[in-house]
Amino acid sequence: MMRHGLSRPSFLLALLAGTSLMSVGPAQAAPSVERGEYLARAADCEACHTVPGGVPFAGGRAFPVPGMGVIYAPNITPDPDHGIGKWTDDEFVRSVREGVSPGWKHLYPAMPYPAYARMSVDEVKDIRAWLATVPPSANTPSPNHLKFPFSIRAMMVGWNLLNGPASSYPDDPQKSAEWNRGRYLVEGPGHCADCHSPRTLTYGLSADRAFAGTVVNGLRAYNISPDKSSGIGGWSDEALAQYLSTGHADGHGTASADMAEVISFSLHYLTPADIHAMVVYLHDLKPQSSDDAASPPRKPAAGDDTLPQATKGARLFASTCAGCHLPDGSGRQSPFANIIGSRTLSADGGRNLVRIIMNGSTLTTASGNQIMPGFAGGNLSQRDLNDIAAFVMTHFTEATPSEDKLNAAAKGP
Amino acid sequence: MQTLRVNGQTHTVDVDPDTPLLWVLRDIIGLDGTKFGCGIAQCGVCTVHLDGRPVRACALQVSQIGDGAITTIEGLDDADPIVHAVKKAWIDLDVVQCGYCQPGQVMAAVGLLKTVKNPTDDQIDSAMSGNMCRCGTYMRIRKAIHLAAGEAV
């Protein structure tokens, strides 16, 4: 008899079994490690949760917040005691999307949870599934050093009311599928605005001046709105896609410092279709003009093999920089050393230029690492480095360097 | 596996794609005329030609070379009038002192004369500025390039 009918408890069991069977199907709720890895790259988790050169995801990287103190990125490896190995998936999702870790520990918005909330719960579970496969580390990062009252995490309850997590938004049917995918990548996992939008008085992201650029850690995060003169309005789709996926586009130079990290840890892993979607969305943003625009490049620089030897900056450029960048800036042996047209040559009074000459930059591409060494602390004084920067600004662009600005840039944040 | 064309010969080498060319030249292929200096493209001692253009082998990853033709100091063709003139000028003026940087200096000088037939002092200084010489033979190098330019015409 029982063969023809199920008792109520066994019917329930069968239902449960059915659900769990469904959940291991490929397109359904079971977390996908593969998709999680892709999303974790798109969300650039590694760059912040790793000390430069350290164990991936083991935390400890310092994030100075002006006026408030220093926040240290936590260990998010699957170590049960020092990482997040004991967290449930739901606790992980709540941390990433709402900024609340187990024990009602409110996260500070150095963690871009308002942007990550654009990812669905299932997508964040995918990220968790992949993070659970990275090697565990017993690293214990330093505790945050925050001034009172910022040291009170519960303050974030109020902050969240003002600037708080967005939610995943439905696709805009007026726009193309590419545009919608681009918006998701830029505003969600990519959290581009976290560096490229100015902050409001309460440290929220400015909606009025979205993507107009700002200063982060002493470096100018450039205007990436489609304004013709101060943003990316003059870039072709191809150039922007090339820049985002490889870190370099001829005529626009090479990504360096923090943007080089974004390319290295995140963007260079994205598919060409996703990069294209981001380009479509970025080119459709509201143009914002800003006062940090790069100066026009000076022509004809290409093919001009003779450097003026009249000033100290010129002689230092010849001996220190031209070995890789060539006298005309076109790059001796790597397309990544081609600096012609780069915003860094002149934007914001040479702020980034000075800091990159001082500290160098490393970019990881599909073909290996591209490294520019830093020149601070070597044989050259800061005065020498500023002289090089001033020469670069006047030789390759029409900028007028100001000594005060160069000195301020050299001092850093 | 990377395939490289060096001095007209094809070599297939089993190295990581980001291995610097200089390592492959000296340690694997055995062409040790090209010297190691600083390792960060600051001294010019490891200069070789990639499709005729002077490059720093210590900072050139093999994956970036593709099917470009590499020429080292061993592969300079004496039948080439510029190569011949540079070597002769170097001997005539006794340019070399300790000699360690000279393979790089010669490669840079040949590269310059291939693109600029009769360079001015400023052009020489610009093109040779990335090639250091601890003995300070710069004045003789400049003179030798002028001499070679005159003879190669």
Side-chain angles (χ1 to χ4, degrees):
Chain A
M1 284 292 115
M2 291 297 281
R3 220 179 279 167
H4 300 285
L6 291 167
S7 68
R8 177 165 282 206
S10 46
F11 173 71
L12 279 175
L13 273 176
L15 255 184
L16 283 172
T19 349
S20 63
L21 270 179
M22 274 172 64
S23 67
V24 292
Q28 295 298 323
S32 151
V33 173
E34 199 185 335
R35 204 169 58 161
E37 176 173 6
Y38 188 79
L39 279 169
R41 302 285 189 211
D44 203 8
C45 310
E46 186 173 348
C48 289
H49 284 282
T50 308
V51 171
V55 179
F57 304 105
R61 183 161 183 182
F63 290 87
V65 189
M68 298 187 204
V70 185
I71 292 170
Y72 293 89
N75 178 342
I76 57 166
T77 68
D79 185 278
D81 300 314
H82 306 90
I84 57 167
K86 282 183 183 153
W87 292 17
T88 66
D89 282 1
D90 290 336
E91 285 170 336
F92 181 79
V93 169
R94 202 153 174 244
S95 279
V96 171
R97 294 182 79 243
E98 296 168 39
V100 184
S101 283
W104 289 97
K105 195 169 139 189
H106 280 269
L107 302 183
Y108 294 101
M111 168 74 177
Y113 57 89
Y116 288 164
R118 311 268 192 217
M119 291 189 280
S120 72
V121 170
D122 283 349
E123 287 173 328
V124 177
K125 283 183 178 172
D126 291 342
I127 294 179
R128 172 71 198 277
W130 180 69
L131 271 181
T133 69
V134 308
S137 158
N139 180 46
T140 310
S142 321
N144 294 338
H145 295 295
L146 287 170
K147 288 179 198 157
F148 183 82
F150 305 110
S151 49
I152 305 171
R153 286 181 179 273
M155 274 187 63
M156 298 312 301
V157 176
W159 189 86
N160 286 341
L161 289 176
L162 287 170
N163 306 295
S167 54
S168 41
Y169 33 27
D171 282 357
D172 182 343
Q174 307 293 318
K175 300 283 190 179
S176 68
E178 278 175 328
W179 186 95
N180 278 299
R181 176 71 179 167
R183 178 176 68 162
Y184 165 79
L185 289 164
V186 167
E187 307 277 1
H191 64 284
C192 307
D194 272 74
C195 287
H196 287 285
S197 289
R199 300 263 168 186
T200 60
L201 276 179
T202 59
Y203 205 68
L205 293 171
S206 166
D208 293 344
R209 298 280 297 149
F211 301 103
T214 186
V215 174
V216 180
N217 291 337
L219 286 162
R220 169 66 57 174
Y222 293 127
N223 181 336
I224 57 166
S225 79
D227 186 74
K228 274 263 189 276
S229 57
S230 40
I232 49 143
W235 294 47
S236 70
D237 284 1
E238 293 72 30
L240 192 50
Q242 195 194 355
Y243 190 88
L244 292 176
S245 53
T246 69
H248 176 84
D250 278 346
H252 300 288
T254 300
S256 43
D258 294 14
M259 189 62 194
E261 278 188 6
V262 176
I263 309 279
S264 303
F265 289 108
S266 175
L267 294 176
H268 98 265
Y269 291 101
L270 299 195
T271 62
D274 275 350
I275 291 288
H276 179 68
M278 292 176 79
V279 169
V280 168
Y281 179 69
L282 289 172
H283 267 156
D284 195 48
L285 288 167
K286 183 179 143 204
Q288 306 266 9
S289 71
S290 53
D291 56 7
D292 62 317
S295 304
R298 200 180 275 284
K299 287 174 183 168
D304 179 1
D305 285 334
T306 318
L307 283 169
Q309 303 281 320
T311 64
K312 188 163 159 236
R315 288 193 297 273
L316 287 172
F317 181 88
S319 59
T320 311
C321 315
C324 285
H325 293 295
L326 281 183
D328 68 359
S330 64
R332 181 180 290 276
Q333 53 204 33
S334 159
F336 293 90
N338 183 335
I339 54 174
I340 293 167
S342 168
R343 281 203 257 190
T344 299
L345 298 181
S346 60
D348 199 7
R351 181 196 291 275
N352 291 10
L353 179 65
V354 169
R355 300 211 58 85
I356 287 156
I357 293 172
M358 288 169 65
N359 302 328
S361 180
T362 300
L363 175 70
T364 305
T365 68
S367 63
N369 287 336
Q370 305 292 332
I371 295 166
M372 161 153 165
F375 292 89
N379 297 332
L380 301 172
S381 67
Q382 189 58 50
R383 182 64 200 262
D384 292 337
L385 300 184
N386 290 0
D387 282 350
I388 294 175
F391 168 75
V392 166
M393 292 174 76
T394 50
H395 185 68
F396 293 107
T397 81
E398 291 172 7
T400 315
S402 123
E403 208 171 315
D404 290 348
K405 272 226 109 168
L406 295 177
N407 283 333
K411 258 172 130 181
Chain B
M1 286 299 216
Q2 307 282 329
T3 302
L4 298 170
R5 283 200 293 142
V6 183
N7 299 338
Q9 284 187 318
T10 301
H11 298 265
T12 302
V13 290
D14 183 12
V15 293
D16 288 338
D18 60 356
T19 307
L21 173 63
L22 182 60
W23 272 237
V24 175
L25 291 177
R26 289 182 57 88
D27 295 352
I28 297 177
I29 301 179
L31 292 170
D32 55 10
T34 308
K35 304 303 181 200
F36 171 82
C38 67
I40 52 168
Q42 285 294 295
C43 76
V45 70
C46 65
T47 303
V48 298
H49 289 181
L50 175 60
D51 291 331
R53 193 175 184 195
V55 295
R56 312 298 186 215
C58 73
L60 181 64
Q61 297 162 4
V62 289
S63 61
Q64 294 177 323
I65 296 169
D67 58 1
I70 298 150
T71 309
T72 69
I73 187 78
E74 293 94 338
L76 283 183
D77 179 6
D78 283 335
D80 180 316
I82 290 176
V83 171
H84 179 76
V86 167
K87 285 188 178 178
K88 188 169 180 301
W90 244 250
I91 294 166
D92 287 353
L93 294 181
D94 229 345
V95 168
V96 178
Q97 190 162 322
C98 90
Y100 194 77
C101 71
Q102 296 296 330
Q105 304 285 1
V106 168
M107 296 308 283
V110 170
L112 168 65
L113 290 173
K114 294 257 180 202
T115 49
V116 187
K117 292 290 169 224
N118 209 349
T120 62
D121 277 357
D122 273 356
Q123 284 172 315
I124 294 173
D125 291 353
S126 294
M128 304 297 291
S129 60
N131 289 75
M132 306 289 136
C133 173
R134 291 293 298 269
C135 307
T137 64
Y138 300 112
M139 301 312 279
R140 292 204 294 273
I141 289 172
R142 191 203 269 170
K143 223 167 158 184
I145 291 174
H146 281 307
L147 179 62
E151 288 183 9
V153 173

